[in-house]
Amino acid sequence: MLTTLKRCCLRNSLRSLKVTMSTSTTAQILSGTDIAREIRNNLKEDVEKLKKQLPDFHPGLAIVQVGGREDSNVYIRMKIKAASEIGIKSEHVKLPRTTTETQLLSKLNQLNNDPNVHGIIVQMPLDADNEINSHLVTDSVSPEKDVDGLNTINEGRVAVGDLSAFVPCTPNGVIELAKRSGIKLAGAEAVVLGRSKIVGTPVSELLKWNHATVTVCHSKTKDLKEKCQKADILVVAIGQAELVKGDWIKPGAVVIDCGINAIPDPTKKSGQRLVGDVDYAAASKNASYITPVPGGVGPMTVAMLMKNTVQSAQRAAARLLQTKWNLRSLPLEFQRPVPSDIDIARSQEPKNILQLADEIGLYPNEVSPYGSKKAKIGLSVLDRLGSKKNGKYVVVVGMTPTPLGEGKSTTLVGLVQALTAHKNLNAFATLRQPSQGPTFGIKGGAAGGGYAQVIPMEDFNLHLTGDIHAVTAANNLLAAQLDARIFHEATQETKALYNRLVPMRKGVRNFSKIQQRRLQKLGIDKTDPNTLTPEEEEKFARLNIDTNNVVWKRVVDINDRYLRKITVGQSPTEKGLTRETSYTISVASEIMAILALAKDLNDFKERLANMVVAFDKSGNPVTADDLGVTGALLVLLRESIEPTLMQTLEGSPVLVHAGPFANIAHGCSSIVADKIALKLVGDEGFVVTEAGFGSDIGMEKFFDIKCRASGDVPNVVVLVCTIRALKMHGGGPAVTPGAPLKPEYTKENLDLVRKGLCNLVKHISNGNKFGVPVVVAINKHVSDTQAELELVRQAALANGAYDAVVCTHWSDGGAGALQLADAVVKASKESSKFNFLYSLDLPIESKISKIAAEMYGAGNISYSQNVSKKIEEYKKQGFDNLPICMAKTANSLTGDPSIKGAPTGFTLDVHDITISVGAGFIIPISGEISTMPGLPTRPSIYDIDLNTETGEVEGLF
């Protein structure tokens, strides 16, 4: 065995031999062209692997150019060619010389926010007529997309040795070339000529972090030749043609020439040739390796740009493939007894909404903050995640409730808190936005309760992001246009009416886009307003609305009983065109139902256009599109289609969107919110949503209307029940809001519970009829006894429930719903056997009968003469293939709210029927259904106030 001294001597001899060999021959060429080709081939394989994982995914590179310098064009063509060979989708963004700094920054911001763009470069120098700060421009490229590595943040990371970010392309290429020479960077003497921001400085930093000993030289450096002669690695980027001579090179050194200069050469057709900053011929006699010019650093710069772009795309793809959230839950500090809901809500400081958005995988361009606690979520997330599998879909419904409610929202929130904060699963709550009617009327807040709430509670219950106000404005704009059209048709001759509808503007008459659609509907194949015949002008201009058959009503989002019947048009200016009408509450508007059912903006617009607002004197429907108002409605509603992101007390994500009336509409939150949530949670996650009232109304509409429209298949039904509601159905005394509960409800009474179980059993049966496993959540109240709870649990299991568990989320937060979470997870693994209750091809009467018999237990259906007549009209108009949206009391399985339990064989009276063509359903009405609630003698208004010292809302719940 050699001694240490002998080994050292041998290494030194070999090193001397290597240097002697290298100096005895011409330096080997470090071909950037060859190495770059190898790198591109490897990148091509990387891209192909990405596409196998995500077939619709393409790495994207945007090259921004201001002006049209030919040298820049040459470089851009090289980059586009290289990108194409690798499989990168490149976009050449050409901006004119007249581009201003503001315009350029705006374009960069668009690209920063485009999820299909993974790399952005700005071609320098800028060829602009206006002064543009190039440093500001490079810093405006997002650090995550700065594949040139010129953003100050990325430069700073390199400076401190953080090489996980994007490294500038030319310096990165220099290091790769040095490594390919075989020289050991660690411990080597490196000299860098040049200290530019783009090459010299970052090269020196990279060499330093590769453990070389680095000397940086520049125009002020003394004894430049002597310093270069000490270099094992010499990097030259000083911008002077052939400055470095052969005798500057240490024998055996590696020389990397970053310069490119044009010098005169009469032997060339162009009269010049390109050389580097190093005298290549002379340096080759001393160096062991040397890069040529061209064909050295240049191709490597392009290759490293492509490498950075692919790396950026890989990170984006990894984010798409990584479904597990990095959700940071918020701990709860429990108090006993449990304080008021609003005190609990205020005791928890929500996370900043942008933090929550980042935790659940949203991109910054998909989030529009409204303050720091809530944000609108853009529909573009659906495009980005289009190929991603949906998560599990869970709907929370209730048994037939008491007037106090049985805690569906609270259970939903508690379940999501359990799934996220305690079981570390991805889970989203999707809820309706509360109406101000109930908030200021009887119910108060609707954000859940106890330690299972949505926060901030005040924001959730009051205005939120203004969607209901937008619906109100759009609805009333349509009402105003409807009445205005009736007035103008009644007070003008046809020619004058036509001329005003299609006026001359700057000497030209044109039909607007929406007027062109009306012409097509009328079968008039003309585009010039001057060519219509008098008959066609009348056909186009006159809707001939039957004022006795106007179905559209104005809305307001408060309880106001005096608006249940009004007279409009009483001003003398309306020339006696009065008629009776009424208001409904905003959440009962068809526009609100459409907002909840629209799948995207195009679907939203089409549904708005199809809304039937009245019938003409021949019995034909008149639509919003006929009134020319569709586009204006969509403009008012353009932001309302985006759901609002909030959070629970434990920091779980919530999407709040739409608030359709559960009596007159389908009573569910929006399809858009559910679809966004289903993509964000991933295939192992859960989206928990709510259907209004009991399974007979809310769940049936959720399945037969919402799921039919969305195409999303539910996995589990969570059926919420309470001992209190079971006792009421078992014959207990009336439950009255604001009045103390009778002793029957606060003391153990197994007999009442047993008698009321029939109602719970019926709701379990309803869920099973759709082929969806039903998990019963027994929402425990303080006075419930163990015997009562166990009686219900056993009865549920014996009558078809997949599982039945007792929940204490109101007092214990997500920890109190852990058993429920386990049951839901287990049930979701069952293979789906979901089916709709009825086929749309069935006649209207058959669909109504199916719902009444299967969901309510009815034996017969009784139709008034008016209803039968309307059904025949709907059939003639082609509306008979729409689903049914039953309007019935939620307080009973029958049409009579006073009848409790689960009666069978009764007759359901249908005394009226209406249609919402835009929303896409027919509404049979049984019993008294008011779409405009009234305030009680003592509404919640008396308790609600604003503390002028603290700015806090008091008494909301």
Side-chain angles (χ1 to χ4, degrees):
M1 179 175 283
L2 294 172
T3 65
T4 301
L5 179 60
K6 288 181 179 179
R7 284 198 299 271
C8 290
C9 291
L10 180 59
R11 280 200 301 270
N12 291 335
S13 298
L14 290 172
R15 188 177 295 115
S16 298
L17 178 61
K18 181 177 180 181
V19 170
T20 301
M21 291 174 64
S22 65
T23 56
S24 64
T25 60
T26 301
Q28 294 188 44
I29 297 173
L30 269 176
S31 173
T33 301
D34 293 341
I35 299 171
R37 185 184 302 112
E38 179 187 334
I39 291 171
R40 289 199 304 272
N41 289 336
N42 292 335
L43 292 175
K44 185 177 180 180
E45 292 179 5
D46 291 340
V47 170
E48 287 172 353
K49 289 177 184 177
L50 276 182
K51 290 181 178 178
K52 286 180 181 179
Q53 294 175 300
L54 297 167
D56 298 328
F57 184 85
H58 297 277
L61 172 65
I63 305 171
V64 181
Q65 180 186 21
V66 177
R69 285 175 54 130
E70 184 52 34
D71 55 347
S72 293
N73 291 335
V74 171
Y75 292 134
I76 290 171
R77 285 195 290 269
M78 290 171 53
K79 293 166 185 174
I80 291 174
K81 183 175 182 293
S84 177
E85 291 174 355
I86 293 167
I88 297 171
K89 188 176 181 180
S90 60
E91 177 188 4
H92 185 184
V93 181
K94 296 181 179 180
L95 301 177
R97 287 175 55 91
T98 55
T99 299
T100 64
E101 184 176 87
T102 300
Q103 290 171 328
L104 176 55
L105 296 180
S106 176
K107 186 61 184 179
L108 291 175
N109 185 56
Q110 291 177 25
L111 296 171
N112 285 336
N113 291 329
D114 187 344
N116 296 314
V117 174
H118 306 106
I120 303 169
I121 62 173
V122 182
Q123 188 66 40
M124 296 292 182
L126 300 171
D127 182 21
D129 294 337
N130 302 294
E131 185 176 343
I132 298 177
N133 185 330
S134 59
H135 181 74
L136 176 62
V137 168
T138 53
D139 271 3
S140 295
V141 176
S142 168
E144 288 74 29
K145 297 187 178 185
D146 170 38
V147 290
D148 254 343
L150 301 180
N151 185 291
T152 302
I153 293 174
N154 285 332
E155 289 181 331
R157 287 171 175 165
V158 171
V160 298
D162 179 3
L163 304 184
S164 62
F166 293 122
V167 177
C169 300
T170 299
N172 205 11
V174 167
I175 298 301
E176 184 66 25
L177 285 165
K179 289 178 178 177
R180 293 298 183 109
S181 72
I183 192 170
K184 187 177 180 181
L185 299 184
E189 289 282 348
V191 175
V192 179
L193 268 63
R195 56 178 176 180
S196 72
K197 169 185 174 181
I198 295 176
V199 181
T201 297
V203 163
S204 65
E205 297 291 350
L206 290 174
L207 286 166
K208 179 178 69 176
W209 296 116
N210 277 278
H211 310 298
T213 301
V214 184
T215 301
V216 179
C217 300
H218 45 80
S219 60
K220 305 297 183 184
T221 301
K222 296 179 180 180
D223 302 323
L224 191 59
K225 176 180 176 180
E226 288 75 12
K227 287 183 168 56
C228 290
Q229 289 173 335
K230 297 177 181 178
D232 299 317
I233 303 168
L234 179 63
V235 180
V236 187
I238 207 157
Q240 295 184 38
E242 299 183 329
L243 171 71
V244 177
K245 307 303 180 181
D247 59 352
W248 290 30
I249 309 298
K250 176 182 177 180
V254 174
V255 179
I256 300 175
D257 188 352
C258 302
I260 184 162
N261 311 277
I263 63 173
D265 187 344
T267 67
K268 301 292 183 182
K269 185 176 181 180
S270 63
Q272 59 183 18
R273 62 187 172 91
L274 297 178
V275 298
D277 292 350
V278 177
D279 184 339
Y280 182 82
S284 297
K285 296 176 181 178
N286 279 343
S288 60
Y289 287 87
I290 189 170
T291 58
V293 176
V297 173
M300 290 299 294
T301 299
V302 176
M304 291 304 165
L305 172 65
M306 299 301 125
K307 184 176 181 180
N308 282 348
T309 302
V310 172
Q311 286 178 344
S312 179
Q314 287 171 327
R315 291 169 188 165
R319 192 171 181 182
L320 285 172
L321 293 167
Q322 174 58 43
T323 58
K324 189 64 185 172
W325 293 344
N326 183 28
L327 192 70
R328 298 174 179 86
S329 61
L330 301 175
L332 295 175
E333 295 183 7
F334 298 101
Q335 295 184 45
R336 297 293 185 263
V338 176
S340 69
D341 290 347
I342 198 162
D343 286 341
I344 293 173
R346 286 197 183 133
S347 69
Q348 185 71 291
E349 178 63 26
K351 291 181 282 190
N352 187 289
I353 202 66
L354 293 178
Q355 177 190 333
L356 176 62
D358 181 68
E359 289 174 356
I360 61 176
L362 286 165
Y363 287 6
N365 66 298
E366 296 163 347
V367 184
S368 300
Y370 277 59
S372 61
K373 309 305 179 188
K374 56 185 183 290
K376 283 281 193 177
I377 305 303
L379 271 57
S380 61
V381 66
L382 290 173
D383 296 326
R384 177 172 65 85
L385 301 177
S387 61
K388 198 171 183 180
K389 291 182 179 179
N390 284 352
K392 305 294 185 180
Y393 201 19
V394 181
V395 59
V396 178
V397 302
M399 62 178 293
T400 305
T402 69
L404 303 178
E406 309 319 305
K408 288 198 312 296
S409 299
T410 306
T411 301
L412 185 157
V413 174
L415 172 58
V416 170
Q417 289 180 172
L419 289 166
T420 54
H422 299 271
K423 296 193 69 65
N424 200 28
L425 296 170
N426 295 354
F428 236 118
T430 59
L431 289 165
R432 286 177 294 170
Q433 179 183 347
S435 165
Q436 288 179 144
T439 298
F440 290 102
I442 296 176
K443 188 177 182 181
Y451 288 99
Q453 294 187 59
V454 180
I455 53 173
M457 183 195 195
E458 299 95 320
D459 290 21
F460 183 84
N461 288 298
L462 301 172
H463 304 291
L464 198 59
T465 49
D467 291 351
I468 294 180
H469 300 316
V471 168
T472 303
N475 183 97
N476 293 344
L477 174 64
L478 179 52
Q481 169 68 344
L482 170 63
D483 282 328
R485 187 60 175 266
I486 292 171
F487 173 82
H488 291 306
E489 286 191 28
T491 56
Q492 297 180 53
E493 296 295 331
T494 298
K495 189 65 178 178
L497 179 64
Y498 178 74
N499 287 339
R500 287 186 172 94
L501 287 171
V502 194
M504 185 81 70
R505 292 176 176 170
K506 297 181 180 180
V508 180
R509 294 180 79 186
N510 287 309
F511 292 114
S512 68
K513 289 181 180 179
I514 200 166
Q515 288 178 327
Q516 291 171 15
R517 291 203 297 270
R518 174 154 174 78
L519 288 170
Q520 292 171 4
K521 181 178 178 180
L522 295 171
I524 301 174
D525 187 20
K526 294 180 180 179
T527 57
D528 185 352
N530 299 309
T531 61
L532 268 65
T533 66
E535 292 77 15
E536 289 171 337
E537 288 181 355
E538 180 169 8
K539 196 174 180 182
F540 172 82
R542 293 202 174 276
L543 298 177
N544 291 319
I545 295 167
D546 181 357
T547 55
N548 294 315
N549 203 356
V550 173
V551 296
W552 196 256
K553 301 175 181 179
R554 288 168 172 81
V555 300
V556 64
D557 193 40
I558 55 173
N559 293 358
D560 192 343
R561 65 177 64 248
Y562 270 70
L563 296 179
R564 289 171 178 169
K565 181 175 282 191
I566 62 170
T567 303
V568 295
Q570 290 193 6
S571 169
T573 58
E574 307 317 302
K575 301 182 179 180
L577 294 172
T578 62
R579 65 181 179 87
E580 282 192 352
T581 182
S582 62
Y583 271 73
T584 63
I585 195 164
S586 296
V587 290
S589 166
E590 183 176 357
I591 294 179
M592 180 60 82
I594 289 173
L595 177 62
L597 290 171
K599 294 187 284 294
D600 52 43
L601 266 177
N602 286 328
D603 187 30
F604 196 17
K605 185 174 185 178
E606 185 176 346
R607 287 174 179 271
L608 292 172
N610 292 335
M611 292 187 299
V612 174
V613 298
F615 292 87
D616 66 18
K617 292 172 183 176
S618 299
N620 300 311
V622 178
T623 66
D625 223 41
D626 291 328
L627 286 166
V629 76
T630 305
L633 297 181
L634 194 64
V635 167
L636 281 174
L637 296 163
R638 69 191 186 282
E639 293 181 355
S640 67
I641 197 169
E642 297 179 340
T644 301
L645 178 67
M646 297 187 75
Q647 61 194 284
T648 70
L649 281 167
E650 296 192 58
S652 313
V654 180
L655 280 180
V656 186
H657 201 211
F661 224 46
N663 280 344
I664 205 74
H666 62 295
C668 304
S669 64
S670 76
I671 285 175
V672 162
D674 288 359
K675 284 188 175 295
I676 289 174
L678 285 165
K679 293 297 182 185
L680 285 171
V681 298
D683 58 351
E684 296 297 320
F686 291 82
V687 173
V688 187
T689 192
E690 181 183 356
F693 299 129
S695 73
D696 54 322
I697 300 180
M699 184 193 74
E700 185 274 320
K701 293 176 183 177
F702 175 83
F703 289 148
D704 282 322
I705 296 176
K706 182 177 179 179
C707 290
R708 201 188 294 269
S710 69
D712 296 322
V713 179
N715 298 95
V716 184
V717 170
V718 173
L719 175 59
V720 180
C721 73
T722 62
I723 300 297
R724 178 180 64 200
L726 289 166
K727 287 179 177 179
M728 180 189 72
H729 286 288
V735 176
T736 306
L741 287 171
K742 299 291 173 56
E744 288 87 343
Y745 295 104
T746 58
K747 295 180 181 179
E748 183 175 291
N749 192 323
L750 296 175
D751 186 52
L752 277 182
V753 173
R754 193 174 289 108
K755 288 178 180 177
L757 284 170
C758 59
N759 186 270
L760 175 61
V761 169
K762 174 58 179 169
H763 288 286
I764 295 172
S765 170
N766 284 353
N768 287 333
K769 284 175 182 173
F770 286 92
V772 181
V774 178
V775 174
V776 173
I778 308 169
N779 187 15
K780 185 179 184 300
H781 288 184
V782 175
S783 60
D784 299 341
T785 69
Q786 188 59 38
E788 290 172 331
L789 296 168
E790 185 60 22
L791 173 62
V792 175
R793 198 182 73 81
Q794 292 296 337
L797 292 172
N799 285 278
Y802 181 86
D803 204 346
V805 296
V806 176
C807 307
T808 60
H809 43 273
W810 179 80
S811 59
D812 300 322
L818 276 173
Q819 282 185 288
L820 177 60
D822 289 336
V824 167
V825 171
K826 185 178 178 183
S828 71
K829 295 177 181 177
E830 296 291 317
S831 58
S832 176
K833 299 176 183 176
F834 174 69
N835 55 269
F836 297 115
L837 187 64
Y838 55 81
S839 167
L840 293 181
D841 296 333
L842 289 175
I844 294 173
E845 298 93 335
S846 298
K847 287 183 277 195
I848 295 172
S849 296
K850 187 83 170 175
I851 295 169
E854 298 287 340
M855 294 289 103
Y856 313 155
N860 299 291
I861 307 292
S862 172
Y863 298 105
S864 69
Q865 188 175 356
N866 178 53
V867 170
S868 298
K869 181 181 176 182
K870 284 186 176 181
I871 288 175
E872 290 305 313
E873 290 175 357
Y874 295 159
K875 290 178 181 177
K876 290 177 185 177
Q877 292 159 353
F879 299 146
D880 54 327
N881 64 341
L882 294 176
I884 302 299
C885 185
M886 294 292 294
K888 178 188 74 70
T889 180
N891 296 323
S892 173
L893 288 167
T894 74
D896 183 349
S898 65
I899 299 176
K900 305 302 180 183
T904 58
F906 57 88
T907 297
L908 186 74
D909 294 317
V910 177
H911 62 80
D912 197 3
I913 191 166
T914 62
I915 191 167
S916 292
V917 179
F921 47 67
I922 295 169
I923 309 166
I925 300 173
S926 176
E928 292 298 320
I929 301 294
S930 173
T931 59
M932 175 49 75
L935 291 173
T937 304
R938 192 190 186 285
S940 300
I941 290 169
Y942 283 94
D943 303 311
I944 298 172
D945 197 2
L946 181 72
N947 188 314
T948 56
E949 294 182 2
T950 65
E952 291 183 335
V953 176
E954 297 175 341
L956 189 60
F957 199 66

